[in-house]
């Protein structure tokens, strides 16, 4: 688990009994938002790779802004945080979907 996923799970579990079906329905959209975020970050990473590769080919060696340990470390930390947030959205959306389905099934069984 990650800090973001653990935190959102804790908050969701505390809030779950107080959430309406409409609240849960709105939260289920987070899974779709996570997929959108992942597609956007994929495009950003592809673009960065192309820029760095192009700079390297034009300059005949190392090029781009991400050459030192500090800049590469910062880039990877930002990417890791973004992917953590994406995972958290997907996890929360799935948990809300499962809770809503359980509630609907419970009402149907009565």
């Amino acid at each position: 688990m990650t800090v973001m996923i653990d935190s959102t799970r804790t908050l969701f579990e505390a809030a779950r009994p107080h959430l309406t079906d409409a609240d849960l329905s709105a939260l289920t959209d987070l899974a779709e938002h996570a997929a959108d975020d992942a597609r956007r970050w994929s495009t950003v990473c592809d673009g960065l790779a192309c820029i760095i590769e192009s700079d390297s080919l034009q300059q005949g060696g190392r090029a781009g802004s991400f050459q030192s340990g500090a800049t590469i470390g910062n880039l990877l930390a930002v990417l890791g945080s973004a992917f953590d947030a994406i995972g958290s959205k997907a996890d929360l959306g799935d948990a809300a979907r499962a809770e809503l389905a359980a509630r609907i099934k419970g009402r149907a069984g009565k």
Side-chain angles (χ1 to χ4, degrees), residues 35-55:
D36 292 340
D37 286 349
R39 282 188 288 275
R40 280 191 292 274
W41 271 109
S42 174
T43 300
V44 167
C45 289
D46 285 345
L48 286 171
C50 289
I51 288 170
I52 293 169
E53 181 181 26
S54 176
D55 285 353

Side-chain angles (χ1 to χ4, degrees), residues 2 4-5 9 12 15-17 24-25 28 35 39 64 72 82 91 94 101 104:
T2 64
M4 184 69 78
I5 291 174
R9 278 188 182 177
F12 179 75
R16 186 166 39 116
L24 289 169
S25 182
T28 64
R39 282 188 288 275
I72 292 169
D91 186 69
D94 288 345
I104 291 169

